[in-house]
Amino acid sequence: MTINFVTVFEERSGSSYFMDSLNSLPHIQAESERMKTLPSRERQPAWINSFFGLGSPHLEAKGFKTKLSDVVCPDRFRSLIVAHNCRVIYLTRRNLIKLTVSGLNAQRS
């Protein structure tokens, strides 16, 4: 049985590193920020249903990451992740110095 998950993150929290690490494991599919890259943000519910609706017998875990600010309708999002029995991983960065340095480094590139 595949475990469904959603990683909700705040800016500069290490979510890309976290998801890349998960995705490097052979039986885990960890998608990047697909919600904000959809052609129309109103298509988010349909995309979530199709993503979790596809059978994945070879996977132990399957999920994606998103910022709450990229979610069009938080109530609908909540009902979908409950309907798909998703675990929620919330990433934040508490160390304000590291958060600031990370933000400054991001501006340099």
Side-chain angles (χ1 to χ4, degrees), residues 2-6 27-31 50-56 59-64 86:
T2 303
I3 296 170
N4 295 332
F5 70 92
V6 175
H27 298 291
I28 295 178
Q29 178 184 354
E31 291 288 326
S50 68
F51 180 76
F52 288 123
L54 297 175
S56 305
L59 292 176
E60 293 178 20
K62 177 179 183 176
F64 66 91
C86 294

Side-chain angles (χ1 to χ4, degrees), residues 77-96:
F77 180 70
R78 180 180 48 81
S79 67
L80 285 168
I81 62 175
V82 168
H84 290 287
N85 197 28
C86 294
R87 310 261 172 93
V88 178
I89 302 165
Y90 179 67
L91 293 179
T92 186
R93 180 172 255 166
R94 291 185 181 178
N95 186 319
L96 295 179

Side-chain angles (χ1 to χ4, degrees), residues 8-70:
V8 179
F9 69 98
E10 294 178 7
E11 293 281 348
R12 317 304 317 158
S13 61
S15 65
S16 294
Y17 177 76
F18 176 70
M19 296 299 276
D20 288 345
S21 296
L22 286 177
N23 212 26
S24 71
L25 300 169
H27 298 291
I28 295 178
Q29 178 184 354
E31 291 288 326
S32 188
E33 290 179 75
R34 297 287 303 276
M35 298 274 282
K36 76 174 187 180
T37 62
L38 294 173
S40 166
R41 290 173 48 128
E42 287 71 32
R43 297 194 62 215
Q44 289 178 356
W47 180 83
I48 292 169
N49 281 327
S50 68
F51 180 76
F52 288 123
L54 297 175
S56 305
H58 67 286
L59 292 176
E60 293 178 20
K62 177 179 183 176
F64 66 91
K65 73 174 187 169
T66 188
K67 287 182 273 201
L68 280 182
S69 61
D70 290 334

